[in-house]
Amino acid sequence: MTKKSYNAEQLQDLVLQMMETELGGEQVYLAALQCAQNADLKKEWQGYLEETRMHQRTVRTLCEALGMDASAQTPSRKVVKHLGDSLVQAMQLALKSGTPTAAELTACECVVLAETKDHANWELLGQVAQAASGATAKALQDAYDKVQQDEQHHLYHTMGWCRELWIQSLGMPAVLPPPEEIKQVETAIGASRAEQQRTTLL
Ligand SMILES: [Fe+2]
Ligand SMILES: [Fe+2]
């Protein structure tokens, strides 16, 4: 099978955005943990915080393998930082001005937003790994293999928490921990199935 071509400059931009996403992710989880009320959710996010720190190390190792400076700044990286800072500020605002329940919901939404970007970054990196060849392909694939499953959990499980805690706040029966957690969802299709079948778990 012939390899697809890809834009090497845009790959570098993606990797630097990934570095910033993982750095910002740490700050997002530190703030989210202050907002979390549910003990299971707290435990879950504590684990995701540790994994996010591991992802920072994985991206740094990838940068070295690609001969890149992990601290290099680009316009798009600044935008990623701005978005991450904004999510932290939103949670601080919720903590200061609203109820604990409202702050927890805000934190869930902020984590989903942060993890949507994080998940997309790694999926894109996996795509380039397929198109690349030689040492570059290996470095990309190694990084992807280490992190990809974590990112499925971070996004899909937190989406489940967000939905069920919202449902609970609306005074309706909620599945807690969410079905995504119980069913160990790892794909978009699995997440959709878990949501469809949630009422069977009530
Ligand atoms: Fe990550
Ligand atoms: Fe993540």
Side-chain angles (χ1 to χ4, degrees):
M1 202 176 77
T2 51
K3 292 277 182 182
K4 294 173 241 160
S5 66
Y6 66 94
N7 181 329
E9 216 172 291
Q10 183 69 346
L11 169 63
Q12 295 214 347
D13 199 64
L14 171 65
V15 172
L16 293 173
Q17 287 196 38
M18 292 175 76
M19 190 68 238
E20 194 60 47
T21 304
E22 299 293 0
L23 290 169
E26 179 177 6
Q27 300 309 313
V28 166
Y29 279 114
L30 289 171
L33 279 163
Q34 287 185 286
C35 301
Q37 301 291 312
N38 183 294
D40 290 326
L41 176 61
K42 256 191 191 168
K43 209 173 121 207
E44 189 81 14
W45 281 350
Q46 192 64 51
Y48 295 172
L49 169 64
E50 291 313 315
E51 287 171 357
T52 298
R53 287 174 173 149
M54 201 187 76
H55 299 172
Q56 293 172 2
R57 293 194 284 277
T58 304
V59 179
R60 281 209 176 88
T61 304
L62 175 63
C63 284
E64 276 169 36
L66 298 177
M68 291 173 56
D69 173 7
S71 63
Q73 296 298 321
T74 61
S76 58
R77 180 174 184 162
K78 285 198 181 106
V79 173
V80 173
K81 176 161 173 41
H82 179 85
L83 287 168
D85 290 346
S86 304
L87 294 174
V88 171
Q89 281 173 24
M91 286 183 272
Q92 286 166 348
L93 177 64
L95 266 180
K96 205 167 56 182
S97 56
T99 64
T101 301
E104 186 179 50
L105 292 175
T106 297
C108 285
E109 291 181 359
C110 288
V111 172
V112 168
L113 288 170
E115 289 296 352
T116 299
K117 168 68 174 163
D118 200 14
H119 183 267
N121 286 343
W122 284 98
E123 287 300 307
L124 290 168
L125 196 84
Q127 296 275 335
V128 187
Q130 297 296 311
S133 52
T136 300
K138 186 180 179 334
L140 295 173
Q141 193 66 46
D142 285 353
Y144 176 79
D145 289 344
K146 258 188 213 141
V147 169
Q148 181 259 2
Q149 198 184 50
D150 291 350
E151 299 301 1
Q152 313 279 24
H153 293 167
H154 295 183
L155 178 60
Y156 298 126
H157 293 201
T158 306
M159 283 171 74
W161 278 103
C162 199
R163 182 191 64 243
E164 297 299 331
L165 287 172
W166 252 113
I167 286 172
Q168 178 176 258
S169 79
L170 288 163
M172 297 186 291
V175 183
L176 289 166
E180 287 83 349
E181 200 79 48
I182 297 162
K183 293 179 182 291
Q184 284 298 309
V185 160
E186 290 180 355
T187 58
I189 267 186
S192 169
R193 215 176 280 135
E195 185 178 0
Q196 297 286 314
Q197 296 168 351
R198 64 177 293 282
T199 48
T200 64
L201 297 165
L202 286 170

